[in-house]
Amino acid sequence: MDKFAPLWADVDENGRLQLPPDVVAEYGIEPGARLRLEMTGHGIKLHRPITQLAKIYIEPTNRCNIDCRTCMRQNWDVALGTMSAETFAAIEASLAELTPPVTVMFGGLGEPLLHPKTADMIAAVKALGFRTEMITNGTLLTERRSRQLIEAGLDLLWVSLDGARPESYADVRLGAELPRVLANLRRFRRLRRPAHRPTPEIGIAFVAMERNIGDLPELLKIGKSVGVKHFSMSNLLPHTPEMEQEVLYKRTLNNITYLPSSWLRRLSIPKMDFNDLTAEPLLAALNSGYNVTFAGNNLGEVNDVCTFIEQGAMAVGWDGRVAPCPPLLYHHVGYIRGFRRESLPHIVGHICQESLKTLWQSPTYEAYRDRVQRFAFAPCTYCGGCDLLETNETDCFWNEAPACGSCLWAQGVIQCP
């Protein structure tokens, strides 16, 4: 299905909407499926049904060869390890049961290239007809590893770059050197087979904070120079009190600009040049206390939307534990509004005991996904905070664990590639 071609749906004589067959197949819409509808300024937004599994995160290892200020390992105490052949064999057997094919992202809380068999895993998944992606810090992207990934059929390589200058990059990614990573990335680009649209495609993932946001323009230029097709920018999720001072969303969480509500004052901004003349007035407009729509898109529409549920995703850790998303694989600590918040893991099963399909279709897990898509959680990110914000065990609506009201992914603040 061409995602950029216009699609049309017909209405039958009974007023029922008839979706195109390609859409039905792409989103796994089966008879009896329930789809969430959302009214927008331009019509109706149709969400992916919670019954469709469309993306699997696989964590080859949670070990890493560098020490990043932004990583949750700055404040955690978990077992470290590497995925065994038996665990991956169980994943491979589970994937073979899935139709239509899903996207498989190799990544997690460690560096995938520390696992000696990551390229073999990618090749095995590609042999099943699935799309494959991987995220790396780029330090281990040697010529040999690059050739292995390309031969394995990897579709998209993400490289994490949190600075455009050697000094600013090394200040965030302790133990890594930007010139070396860029040299690795340029070599990877050259090694790809010549084509109009060469693969693997290349993406850059950038975590923005006070100390490096000034590097963004130069980093975008670097992206063009190394053949980047995708650029993903995220805010920082601080895992220490010191890093909380670095966040770039101190006002964002309760800024009317980003809050969708019919009773708020509304400001509609068209497309226009962003230059020295318009920058200051537009910045003032964005902070003027109006709910903002830019070129027809309301900036508040991404609130209370779990990106992992919307992707139809689940995550498999190096040890075979399965969770709804990578963050819920681990117990970790984060800071929000000055509160120290413990996020407890939410494990739905183990891949060596039950298949992905069985776990996904579990009534309990499906009920969980339905609850998250409805997002009937306390508005913790907008609220001033209380003692219940200190863990994800419950909230003031007395939701059972995990209570996702303070999840910054669901508020469009944190993004994963």
Side-chain angles (χ1 to χ4, degrees):
M1 183 178 72
D2 185 350
K3 299 183 185 299
F4 301 101
L7 296 171
W8 302 93
D10 298 318
V11 178
D12 67 15
E13 63 276 7
N14 296 314
R16 293 175 297 194
L17 190 66
Q18 306 292 308
L19 296 175
D22 287 350
V23 173
V24 172
E26 175 80 10
Y27 290 92
I29 302 173
E30 300 176 350
R34 286 176 57 84
L35 282 75
R36 179 187 172 195
L37 303 179
E38 182 179 343
M39 304 299 293
T40 71
H42 288 283
I44 299 174
K45 181 179 180 180
L46 193 65
H47 290 253
R48 183 189 303 275
I50 60 169
T51 51
Q52 189 204 18
L53 176 59
K55 187 170 186 177
I56 308 291
Y57 289 86
I58 296 177
E59 179 185 66
T61 179
N62 65 352
R63 300 181 186 275
C64 195
N65 63 316
I66 63 174
D67 184 24
C68 299
R69 295 183 187 275
T70 56
C71 186
M72 70 169 61
R73 66 182 63 246
Q74 293 291 337
N75 201 337
W76 73 343
D77 182 18
V78 303
L80 299 179
T82 299
M83 183 172 287
S84 68
E86 293 75 17
T87 298
F88 181 73
I91 295 173
E92 187 179 2
S94 282
L95 291 174
E97 298 178 354
L98 302 180
T99 55
V102 303
T103 295
V104 177
M105 164 67 100
F106 288 85
L109 274 298
E111 169 52 50
L113 292 181
L114 276 176
H115 196 300
K117 297 294 185 181
T118 294
D120 293 337
M121 295 179 190
I122 292 170
V125 173
K126 283 298 295 181
L128 296 172
F130 293 2
R131 175 178 172 83
T132 56
E133 302 178 3
M134 191 190 83
I135 186 165
T136 175
N137 59 41
T139 59
L140 303 178
L141 195 63
T142 62
E143 180 173 348
R144 174 173 167 271
R145 283 300 186 94
S146 295
R147 292 185 184 277
Q148 289 176 337
L149 294 173
I150 294 168
E151 291 299 321
L154 183 68
D155 292 288
L156 173 57
L157 177 75
W158 287 97
V159 179
S160 295
L161 292 178
D162 294 332
R165 295 170 292 112
E167 301 80 13
S168 59
Y169 174 87
D171 185 45
V172 177
R173 295 191 163 263
L174 310 179
E177 299 175 352
L178 181 62
R180 175 184 173 187
V181 172
L182 292 180
N184 290 347
L185 189 51
R186 291 189 174 103
R187 180 178 56 223
F188 181 88
R189 181 192 186 189
R190 293 194 303 269
L191 290 173
R192 297 182 302 174
R193 297 180 184 89
H196 180 61
R197 294 181 178 177
T199 54
E201 295 176 348
I202 298 172
I204 286 178
F206 171 62
V207 177
M209 61 199 93
E210 285 190 359
R211 71 176 62 205
N212 71 355
I213 187 63
D215 282 15
L216 180 59
E218 185 60 30
L219 192 56
L220 290 169
K221 293 179 183 177
I222 290 174
K224 292 179 181 178
S225 74
V226 297
V228 160
K229 187 172 181 181
H230 309 273
F231 196 108
S232 177
M233 179 176 171
S234 177
N235 276 297
L236 164 71
L237 177 62
H239 298 289
T240 64
E242 293 76 22
M243 291 307 292
E244 188 181 16
Q245 305 307 311
E246 297 266 356
V247 302
L248 300 174
Y249 49 90
K250 295 181 176 71
R251 295 177 52 194
T252 298
L253 296 179
N254 57 2
N255 191 331
I256 289 176
T257 300
Y258 306 107
L259 300 182
S261 177
S262 59
W263 54 266
L264 293 176
R265 294 182 296 268
R266 292 173 175 263
L267 169 62
S268 180
I269 299 176
K271 295 178 181 178
M272 65 174 61
D273 294 341
F274 286 88
N275 52 36
D276 292 342
L277 179 64
T278 62
E280 186 174 344
L282 286 174
L283 180 61
L286 287 170
N287 288 303
S288 62
Y290 284 78
N291 172 243
V292 176
T293 294
F294 177 75
N297 297 289
N298 188 272
L299 300 186
E301 289 180 0
V302 294
N303 293 309
D304 296 345
V305 177
C306 173
T307 56
F308 299 104
I309 295 294
E310 293 299 306
Q311 292 177 47
M314 65 194 310
V316 185
W318 68 269
D319 54 359
R321 295 176 307 134
V322 180
C325 61
L328 285 177
L329 278 171
Y330 293 103
H331 172 275
H332 60 276
V333 173
Y335 288 81
I336 177 173
R337 295 185 175 280
F339 281 80
R340 179 184 184 275
R341 177 171 173 80
E342 286 192 65
S343 180
L344 304 179
H346 183 65
I347 306 303
V348 300
H350 196 287
I351 192 62
C352 293
Q353 298 169 1
E354 296 178 279
S355 70
L356 292 171
K357 186 175 182 180
T358 299
L359 290 170
W360 182 259
Q361 294 178 345
S362 159
T364 302
Y365 188 25
E366 185 169 326
Y368 164 80
R369 298 195 304 273
D370 179 70
R371 179 161 59 98
V372 176
Q373 191 176 65
R374 296 174 188 271
F375 219 83
F377 300 106
C380 300
T381 54
Y382 310 137
C383 178
C386 67
D387 290 346
L388 292 176
L389 186 64
E390 294 177 356
T391 76
N392 64 341
E393 291 182 286
T394 187
D395 57 25
C396 59
F397 291 178
W398 304 116
N399 279 293
E400 61 186 52
C404 301
S406 65
C407 176
L408 296 180
W409 278 268
Q411 307 307 324
V413 174
I414 308 295
Q415 297 187 125
C416 289

